[in-house]
Amino acid sequence: MSLQMHEHDGYSQLALDLLAKAKQSGATEADIIIAEGETFSVQVRLGTVDRLTKAREKHLGLRVFVGKRSASTATSDFSADSLSALAAETCTLAKAVVEDPVSGLPKADQMAAERTDLDLYDPTRLNTEQQIDLAKRVEAAAMSMDERVTNSEGGDFDSSAGRVVMANSHGFLGGYQSSSFSMSASPVATDPKTGAMQRDSWYDVQRKFSKLNSPEAVGLEAARRAVRKLGARKVATQRVPVVFDAEMAGSLMGNLCGAVSGYSLYKGVSFLAGQLGKSLAPDYVTVYDDGRIVGGLGSRPFDGEGLPTRKTTVVERGVLKSYLLDTYSGRKLGMPSTGNASRSVGENPSVGPTNFYLAPGTKTAQEIIATVKEGLYVTDLIGFGFNMVTGDYSRGASGFWIEGGELAYPVEEITIAGNFKEMFAGIEMVGSDIVFRGRITSPTVKIAEMMVAGS
Amino acid sequence: MGELVDLVSFGLTEGEVLSALGRVKVRDVDYADLYFESCVSESVSMEESLVKRATKSVSQGVGVRATVGEKTGFAYSDELTKKDLDLAADTARYIASSPSRGQAVPVPVRQRPTHDLYPVDRVQVEVATVDRVALLNAIDAEARRYDPRIKSVMASFNTEYKVVVVATSDGTLIGDVQPLSRLQVTCIAEEKGQRQSGSFGGGGRVGFEFYHEGDRHLRFAREAARQAILNLSAVDAPAGVMPVVLGGGWPGILLHEAIGHGLEADFNRKKTSAFSSLLGKRVASDVCTIVDDGTLPGRRGSLNMDDEGTPTGRTTLIENGILRAYITDKLNARLMGIPVTGNGRRESYQSVVLPRMTNTFMLAGTSNPEEIIRSVNRGLYAVSFGGGQVDITNGKFVFSASEAYLIEGGKVTRPVKGATLIGSGPEILTKVSMVGHDLKLDEGVGTCGKDGQSVPVGVGLPTIRIDEITVGGTQG
């Protein structure tokens, strides 16, 4: 792969030199990842700059195999001396662990070869004043929406751009650039009668600056979300249908994503072990992981091992069709990689999603809510009450009580609980309202019944 | 006294650092600092009875910060040349919008921290990989020996060795060497097609010998195995409001979530915390006294100095139920006109300083733990927890039990499956009616996340009775 090689020349040579050094130190195979980027972030609070951060950073990760033994290291010092020492040290480290029969690079003929532009990079550079202005506007919009919006945790604008270069001892050399622009507002609303406060936030994030929502739209949505929580109360403990708004349904997809990771499966820590080919959900539930969406926040031309990314159908019409795998976890399970190696510099590859989403249905959120006589509409979840081994699920929730198909009043300090298998099988409706605002996404989802604990 | 750390290890002279400090401390800047950090992290991990992974990361850099009123300008660099230092200084002072001519800053006095909580000469930092491997192998064998139903054992051992130097515009040049390590064990038990997990771990700012003291590593293995086996017979957790007895130690995560975050000064200065304006008011029953103490030797949450060079201390947050103090860093203490408590912490040179907890715990009371359990007719006894989270503004917090039992007729009976507990921070401690005499600190596994930054913390709790809290089980 020689994508925009002129951009990577310096690091390409550095990577090739380091591969040679690793070989001299006894490595039989090796790969290298170099990540470099610059970030700018501004936070405005009550109209003035609260925090301004600017930085450039670079990291290099080296993984070596000495026969079937392997180790990974990382450094931010790219000097020749430091890298020579790193190569030697990594090989020493590898020799200290045991042989692992399935370890090793992917096969040479599987490496990403085609030249694809997934349109992940926007060269737009905003100056400091422009970014401060955008952060001010997103907060100002939130503050102006309603007089009950009395305070603010701030308005943020962040931009970052970077590139990744990867090389391995099969002769693979690839690279790509990416960028991201994001903004958010976190207003605080106060109940004029009780003085009780509620905070909420809203955001947008895009690879292209031009695709970003207007700061006014983002700010107004943040304020709307904060104000509507005022007057929240508890409800009695009961079993009811639960509608997850798109953001919270996304968190369920996050839980699913962890449970279909090859590492969770071969270690036996996923409740989905042995479920491949089985029906998990009704036939209107289809889940994809698609690394090839043009401009997608989780898209990339190749994964953390240099294998081409792809579109994987994880759940097809309710049936579990595929796990997400990298080379190692795939070999453990006797399956080929799905191109989902995720690599943070200095760590061994693990499995991560690209763009992981529940395929949208046909009903709007309002139409789904309208089908609920009495139930819960969840707009916030807190805590870590998901046990991936058993699928047991219990989290703190807030949102709205649904009465006669309409949102009646805000609720808080309650929990929702169930088992993920039953929840997934109990998906009654899937909304049409999918918006890609992260790597894991979902439209609104209605689950037939869960236990709500309150007063 | 702590270590005297030199700038030489960062390849810089005092003059160069002073010049960068002068460059950032322009007229309108109230305070500026440079934070130099080098960090070596290592890990080995075991699964399927094989120690097959080893990693090592080395990072080094500087964070440069200027504050003007409420504003903070911040830049960082992983290059430590004079040029990069000056560039970072120019970026950080951008917020000051005053003339770029720097000011003379007082020549800092080189200091060493007054505390010496984790003597580095005694902390064995260089441990051969083969010894780490042997540690994990012993854990695997012990967990499997505990019960044949233990089908898999995963363990990891992580160490971090951090050297920091802080140079401030108020005339301090101080450094610290901060070792940290943690051993974590997870077991999976299997019986009749059912699978359950158990986790246990511990550590601190300690040397490798800590894990062998009294065969601590083997105890961790047995604890993880015991929890996994226990969960095989767990029944569904109840749902609804009921009395809950929390065991000592790690259940102190209640304090961390329910009140700790809400007492961090930044939220209170901005008046976005449910605890804003409650100073001097009752927020807990009079049996509750809660402190944040960064000075406990060897503890995971302890520090000789915080990341602004302030010595850590012991702050009484709640005294007999009355809110006494907030947790502060320099910026928020100055803006609020309250004392600096030595809680200014940052994850790394790449992150800004925030007021953060160190070791947060409730002091022992007078009740007998057995008596506390006997006092409950129907409720929950929770002794181990996973993570927790809080919404600072409305005060609602959760924490998730991973080992809990039903209390029926004053007796601990059946184990129940994990469940999330939810409550309201400013109210929950007013419902604490009994505090045991058995204060325990946790084993040293806590990591606290705030604003995307993770820092190591500790918690502690005696056995306590909470008269009512909502338990998020599935059985109505």
Side-chain angles (χ1 to χ4, degrees), chain A residues 39-264:
Chain A
T39 60
F40 180 91
S41 126
V42 56
Q43 183 172 46
V44 160
R45 188 171 169 267
L46 301 178
T48 60
V49 175
D50 195 52
R51 188 189 300 167
L52 197 120
T53 304
K54 210 168 179 177
R56 287 186 70 86
E57 53 190 310
K58 60 183 188 348
H59 301 281
L60 177 149
L62 170 67
R63 176 171 62 146
V64 305
F65 299 89
V66 179
K68 291 290 178 188
R69 302 168 198 263
S70 141
S72 297
T73 53
T75 185
S76 56
D77 183 352
F78 287 19
S79 66
D81 285 352
S82 146
L83 294 181
S84 292
L86 188 76
E89 201 172 357
T90 314
C91 290
T92 307
L93 204 54
K95 289 168 194 163
V97 300
V98 299
E99 290 198 348
D100 186 353
V102 305
S103 79
L105 291 179
K107 291 223 166 63
D109 60 0
Q110 296 170 337
M111 305 309 302
E114 47 157 339
R115 185 194 163 113
T116 325
D117 185 2
L118 292 171
D119 206 19
L120 307 178
Y121 180 70
D122 178 356
T124 304
R125 287 289 176 278
L126 304 170
N127 65 38
T128 304
E129 290 307 326
Q130 284 173 304
Q131 306 204 52
I132 291 174
D133 181 58
L134 287 160
K136 282 185 175 169
R137 278 167 61 193
V138 70
E139 191 198 39
M143 297 298 292
S144 71
M145 185 263 194
D146 189 300
E147 59 186 20
R148 289 169 291 176
V149 177
T150 53
N151 199 348
S152 168
E153 278 275 4
D156 285 48
F157 190 90
D158 291 9
S159 62
S160 67
R163 59 181 169 143
V164 169
V165 174
M166 251 206 99
N168 71 18
S169 54
H170 290 329
F172 171 78
L173 180 62
Y176 59 90
Q177 284 181 286
S178 64
S179 57
S180 109
F181 300 85
S182 65
M183 69 171 104
S184 66
S186 305
V188 175
T190 306
D191 190 318
K193 279 174 272 172
T194 63
M197 294 187 291
Q198 293 286 355
R199 187 187 71 111
D200 210 326
S201 61
W202 195 241
Y203 67 102
D204 194 20
V205 49
Q206 297 287 342
R207 292 207 177 274
K208 302 271 181 178
F209 178 65
S210 61
K211 295 237 172 100
L212 211 53
N213 231 318
S214 79
E216 285 69 29
V218 172
L220 287 176
E221 177 60 14
R224 187 185 74 84
R225 293 175 70 93
V227 168
R228 70 177 180 168
K229 290 164 86 171
L230 291 175
R233 46 181 140 136
K234 285 180 92 159
V235 284
T237 302
Q238 57 195 295
R239 240 173 245 286
V240 285
V242 175
V243 178
F244 289 76
D245 79 359
E247 287 284 310
M248 296 307 110
S251 80
L252 296 178
M253 288 303 116
N255 297 143
L256 177 69
C257 184
V260 296
S261 152
Y263 285 87
S264 311

Side-chain angles (χ1 to χ4, degrees), chain B residues 145-183:
Chain B
R145 190 158 45 227
Y146 181 84
D147 193 300
R149 288 172 291 174
I150 297 297
K151 295 299 182 202
S152 74
V153 183
M154 288 155 272
S156 60
F157 181 62
N158 295 284
T159 59
E160 183 183 285
Y161 186 75
K162 216 184 230 196
V163 177
V164 305
V165 173
V166 185
T168 72
S169 63
D170 51 23
T172 308
L173 179 61
I174 192 164
D176 193 22
V177 176
Q178 301 166 344
L180 183 69
S181 61
R182 175 171 135 165
L183 175 63

Side-chain angles (χ1 to χ4, degrees), chain A residues 49 89 129 266 332 394, chain B residues 47-48 56 71 94 420:
Chain A
V49 175
E89 201 172 357
E129 290 307 326
Y266 88 73
K332 293 298 285 187
S394 167
Chain B
E47 59 184 46
E48 301 176 314
K56 179 173 182 173
K71 293 189 266 187
Y94 178 88
T420 287

Side-chain angles (χ1 to χ4, degrees), chain B residues 354-370:
Chain B
L354 298 171
R356 304 292 293 261
M357 286 171 262
T358 58
N359 304 294
T360 313
F361 53 95
M362 182 183 286
L363 301 190
T366 54
S367 298
N368 184 328
E370 289 85 49

